[in-house]
Amino acid sequence: MTFRAGIYLAVLSMAAIVILSNILVHFLLGEWLTYAAFTYPFAFLITDLSNRLYGSKVARLIVLIGFFTGILGSLIGTQIYGEFGPLVTLRVAIASGAAFLLSQLLDIKLFSLFFSKTQWWRAPLFSSIIGGSIDTLLFFSVAFDSNFSFLEPSNDVSWANTTSPLLGWGPEVPFWLSLSVADFIIKLGIVFVSLVPFRLILNKVVYTENVKV
Protein backbone atom coordinates (compact mmCIF):
# COMPACT_ATOMS: atom_id res chain seq x y z
CA MET A 1 0.00 0.00 0.00
CA THR A 2 1.39 3.39 -0.96
CA PHE A 3 1.77 6.29 1.47
CA ARG A 4 -1.12 8.19 -0.13
CA ALA A 5 -3.38 5.13 -0.26
CA GLY A 6 -2.75 4.49 3.43
CA ILE A 7 -3.77 8.04 4.32
CA TYR A 8 -6.93 7.79 2.21
CA LEU A 9 -7.81 4.54 3.96
CA ALA A 10 -7.28 6.14 7.37
CA VAL A 11 -9.49 9.11 6.41
CA LEU A 12 -12.27 6.84 5.16
CA SER A 13 -12.01 4.63 8.26
CA MET A 14 -12.24 7.61 10.61
CA ALA A 15 -15.21 9.07 8.73
CA ALA A 16 -16.94 5.68 8.73
CA ILE A 17 -16.47 5.25 12.49
CA VAL A 18 -17.82 8.74 13.20
CA ILE A 19 -20.85 8.30 10.92
CA LEU A 20 -21.61 4.80 12.21
CA SER A 21 -21.31 5.95 15.82
CA ASN A 22 -23.62 8.91 15.16
CA ILE A 23 -26.22 6.43 13.93
CA LEU A 24 -25.73 3.74 16.58
CA VAL A 25 -25.91 6.23 19.46
CA HIS A 26 -29.69 6.29 18.94
CA PHE A 27 -30.04 2.56 19.69
CA LEU A 28 -30.04 1.55 23.33
CA LEU A 29 -28.28 -1.51 24.71
CA GLY A 30 -29.53 -2.05 28.23
CA GLU A 31 -30.05 0.86 30.59
CA TRP A 32 -26.71 2.69 30.39
CA LEU A 33 -25.25 2.02 26.96
CA THR A 34 -25.87 2.55 23.27
CA TYR A 35 -24.30 0.49 20.50
CA ALA A 36 -22.05 3.46 19.67
CA ALA A 37 -20.04 2.66 22.81
CA PHE A 38 -18.61 -0.32 20.90
CA THR A 39 -17.69 1.53 17.68
CA TYR A 40 -16.59 5.02 18.65
CA PRO A 41 -13.47 3.98 20.68
CA PHE A 42 -11.91 2.57 17.50
CA ALA A 43 -11.37 6.19 16.45
CA PHE A 44 -8.39 6.14 18.83
CA LEU A 45 -6.98 3.13 16.98
CA ILE A 46 -7.17 5.03 13.68
CA THR A 47 -5.52 8.09 15.24
CA ASP A 48 -2.73 6.07 16.84
CA LEU A 49 -1.98 4.08 13.69
CA SER A 50 -1.96 7.27 11.61
CA ASN A 51 0.37 8.90 14.12
CA ARG A 52 2.73 5.93 14.19
CA LEU A 53 2.82 5.34 10.43
CA TYR A 54 2.46 8.83 8.96
CA GLY A 55 3.35 11.27 11.72
CA SER A 56 1.47 13.65 13.99
CA LYS A 57 0.75 16.20 11.25
CA VAL A 58 -1.16 13.65 9.18
CA ALA A 59 -2.87 12.29 12.30
CA ARG A 60 -4.14 15.79 13.17
CA LEU A 61 -5.47 16.20 9.64
CA ILE A 62 -7.37 12.91 9.90
CA VAL A 63 -8.79 13.97 13.28
CA LEU A 64 -9.97 17.28 11.79
CA ILE A 65 -11.69 15.44 8.95
CA GLY A 66 -13.39 13.20 11.52
CA PHE A 67 -14.38 16.29 13.52
CA PHE A 68 -16.03 18.02 10.56
CA THR A 69 -17.71 14.74 9.57
CA GLY A 70 -19.19 14.59 13.07
CA ILE A 71 -20.31 18.23 12.89
CA LEU A 72 -22.05 17.54 9.59
CA GLY A 73 -23.75 14.49 11.08
CA SER A 74 -24.89 16.52 14.09
CA LEU A 75 -26.32 19.25 11.85
CA ILE A 76 -28.28 16.64 9.93
CA GLY A 77 -29.46 15.11 13.21
CA THR A 78 -30.82 18.45 14.45
CA GLN A 79 -33.17 18.49 11.46
CA ILE A 80 -34.54 14.99 12.05
CA TYR A 81 -37.28 14.80 14.66
CA GLY A 82 -38.22 11.78 16.70
CA GLU A 83 -40.77 11.18 19.43
CA PHE A 84 -39.04 13.51 21.91
CA GLY A 85 -37.78 16.20 19.52
CA PRO A 86 -34.66 16.47 17.33
CA LEU A 87 -32.41 13.44 17.32
CA VAL A 88 -29.42 15.67 18.13
CA THR A 89 -29.75 18.65 20.47
CA LEU A 90 -27.41 21.65 20.53
CA ARG A 91 -25.83 20.54 23.81
CA VAL A 92 -25.14 17.04 22.53
CA ALA A 93 -23.66 18.46 19.31
CA ILE A 94 -21.35 20.80 21.25
CA ALA A 95 -20.39 18.06 23.71
CA SER A 96 -19.72 15.53 20.97
CA GLY A 97 -17.61 17.87 18.84
CA ALA A 98 -15.58 19.28 21.74
CA ALA A 99 -14.97 15.87 23.30
CA PHE A 100 -13.87 14.30 20.02
CA LEU A 101 -11.55 17.10 18.96
CA LEU A 102 -9.86 17.71 22.31
CA SER A 103 -9.46 14.04 23.24
CA GLN A 104 -8.09 13.04 19.85
CA LEU A 105 -5.59 15.92 19.73
CA LEU A 106 -4.51 15.05 23.27
CA ASP A 107 -4.12 11.43 22.20
CA ILE A 108 -1.76 12.52 19.40
CA LYS A 109 0.34 14.59 21.81
CA LEU A 110 0.51 11.86 24.43
CA PHE A 111 1.35 9.20 21.84
CA SER A 112 4.55 11.08 21.02
CA LEU A 113 5.40 11.45 24.71
CA PHE A 114 4.86 7.76 25.50
CA PHE A 115 6.40 6.39 22.28
CA SER A 116 8.95 3.63 22.72
CA LYS A 117 10.39 1.34 20.05
CA THR A 118 11.02 -1.42 22.57
CA GLN A 119 7.65 -1.14 24.36
CA TRP A 120 5.41 -0.75 21.30
CA TRP A 121 2.21 -1.03 23.37
CA ARG A 122 2.98 1.85 25.73
CA ALA A 123 2.07 4.78 23.46
CA PRO A 124 -1.26 3.44 22.07
CA LEU A 125 -2.31 2.12 25.48
CA PHE A 126 -1.66 5.13 27.69
CA SER A 127 -2.55 7.81 25.13
CA SER A 128 -5.88 6.10 24.38
CA ILE A 129 -6.75 5.57 28.05
CA ILE A 130 -6.07 9.19 28.97
CA GLY A 131 -7.65 10.54 25.79
CA GLY A 132 -10.66 8.26 26.27
CA SER A 133 -11.17 9.40 29.86
CA ILE A 134 -11.13 13.06 28.76
CA ASP A 135 -13.55 12.24 25.94
CA THR A 136 -15.99 10.54 28.33
CA LEU A 137 -15.79 13.25 30.98
CA LEU A 138 -16.24 16.10 28.52
CA PHE A 139 -19.07 14.55 26.54
CA PHE A 140 -21.30 13.40 29.38
CA SER A 141 -20.78 16.43 31.59
CA VAL A 142 -21.33 19.01 28.84
CA ALA A 143 -24.24 17.06 27.34
CA PHE A 144 -26.13 16.22 30.54
CA ASP A 145 -24.79 17.91 33.69
CA SER A 146 -27.22 20.58 34.94
CA ASN A 147 -24.26 22.94 35.42
CA PHE A 148 -24.05 23.30 31.64
CA SER A 149 -27.75 24.10 31.14
CA PHE A 150 -26.81 27.59 29.99
CA LEU A 151 -25.67 26.09 26.68
CA GLU A 152 -29.27 25.26 25.78
CA PRO A 153 -31.77 26.42 28.44
CA SER A 154 -34.73 25.00 26.49
CA ASN A 155 -33.28 21.48 26.61
CA ASP A 156 -34.67 19.64 29.62
CA VAL A 157 -32.04 17.23 30.94
CA SER A 158 -33.62 16.74 34.36
CA TRP A 159 -33.94 13.01 33.59
CA ALA A 160 -30.12 12.76 33.44
CA ASN A 161 -29.71 14.52 36.79
CA THR A 162 -32.09 12.42 38.85
CA THR A 163 -30.15 10.43 41.42
CA SER A 164 -29.97 6.65 41.30
CA PRO A 165 -27.48 3.96 42.40
CA LEU A 166 -24.30 4.03 40.30
CA LEU A 167 -24.76 1.32 37.65
CA GLY A 168 -27.68 0.03 39.67
CA TRP A 169 -25.80 -0.93 42.82
CA GLY A 170 -23.35 1.81 43.85
CA PRO A 171 -23.81 5.10 45.72
CA GLU A 172 -26.54 7.55 44.76
CA VAL A 173 -25.30 9.75 41.90
CA PRO A 174 -26.83 11.69 38.99
CA PHE A 175 -27.94 9.24 36.32
CA TRP A 176 -25.56 10.72 33.72
CA LEU A 177 -22.63 9.54 35.85
CA SER A 178 -23.79 5.93 35.44
CA LEU A 179 -23.93 6.53 31.70
CA SER A 180 -20.40 7.91 31.69
CA VAL A 181 -18.93 5.13 33.84
CA ALA A 182 -20.54 2.41 31.72
CA ASP A 183 -19.24 4.10 28.57
CA PHE A 184 -15.71 4.36 29.97
CA ILE A 185 -15.65 0.70 31.01
CA ILE A 186 -16.47 -0.36 27.44
CA LYS A 187 -14.00 2.18 26.07
CA LEU A 188 -11.27 0.86 28.34
CA GLY A 189 -11.92 -2.71 27.23
CA ILE A 190 -11.76 -1.76 23.55
CA VAL A 191 -8.49 0.12 24.11
CA PHE A 192 -6.89 -3.15 25.24
CA VAL A 193 -8.51 -5.13 22.42
CA SER A 194 -7.28 -2.53 19.90
CA LEU A 195 -3.68 -3.33 20.77
CA VAL A 196 -4.04 -6.54 18.74
CA PRO A 197 -4.98 -4.92 15.38
CA PHE A 198 -2.53 -2.08 16.11
CA ARG A 199 0.36 -4.54 16.35
CA LEU A 200 -0.79 -6.69 13.43
CA ILE A 201 -1.26 -3.74 11.08
CA LEU A 202 2.03 -2.18 12.15
CA ASN A 203 3.88 -5.45 11.54
CA LYS A 204 2.25 -5.88 8.14
CA VAL A 205 3.17 -2.37 7.01
CA VAL A 206 6.75 -2.69 8.25
CA TYR A 207 7.10 -6.11 6.60
CA THR A 208 5.75 -4.80 3.30
CA GLU A 209 8.15 -1.86 3.36
CA ASN A 210 11.08 -4.19 4.08
CA VAL A 211 10.12 -6.45 1.18
CA LYS A 212 9.98 -3.47 -1.18
CA VAL A 213 13.41 -2.38 -0.03
Side-chain angles (χ1 to χ4, degrees), residues 84-107:
F84 303 104
L87 294 182
V88 179
T89 64
L90 176 62
R91 279 187 66 172
V92 169
I94 293 174
S96 178
F100 176 86
L101 186 61
L102 292 177
S103 66
Q104 293 291 331
L105 292 179
L106 177 62
D107 177 86

Side-chain angles (χ1 to χ4, degrees), residues 89-91 149-157:
T89 64
L90 176 62
R91 279 187 66 172
S149 294
F150 65 89
L151 291 173
E152 192 179 15
S154 61
N155 183 11
D156 181 15
V157 292

Side-chain angles (χ1 to χ4, degrees), residues 27-35 37-38 140 144 159 164-170 173-186:
F27 297 92
L28 293 173
L29 178 63
E31 188 175 356
W32 301 291
L33 291 170
T34 69
Y35 284 97
F38 296 88
F140 285 96
F144 303 118
W159 61 271
S164 61
L166 181 65
L167 297 180
W169 54 268
V173 296
F175 182 65
W176 69 266
L177 276 176
S178 288
L179 299 177
S180 64
V181 171
D183 179 85
F184 183 68
I185 291 172
I186 298 300

Side-chain angles (χ1 to χ4, degrees), residues 106-185:
L106 177 62
D107 177 86
I108 293 172
K109 182 67 176 178
L110 292 174
F111 189 96
S112 299
L113 292 176
F114 287 119
F115 177 72
S116 170
K117 286 187 177 180
T118 56
Q119 296 177 309
W120 63 269
W121 50 267
R122 191 171 72 176
L125 179 63
F126 291 127
S127 64
S128 295
I129 289 176
I130 298 173
S133 63
I134 296 300
D135 178 86
T136 299
L137 178 62
L138 271 179
F139 175 75
F140 285 96
S141 59
V142 173
F144 303 118
D145 189 346
S146 58
N147 291 317
F148 289 92
S149 294
F150 65 89
L151 291 173
E152 192 179 15
S154 61
N155 183 11
D156 181 15
V157 292
S158 58
W159 61 271
N161 290 275
T162 57
T163 58
S164 61
L166 181 65
L167 297 180
W169 54 268
E172 293 284 327
V173 296
F175 182 65
W176 69 266
L177 276 176
S178 288
L179 299 177
S180 64
V181 171
D183 179 85
F184 183 68
I185 291 172

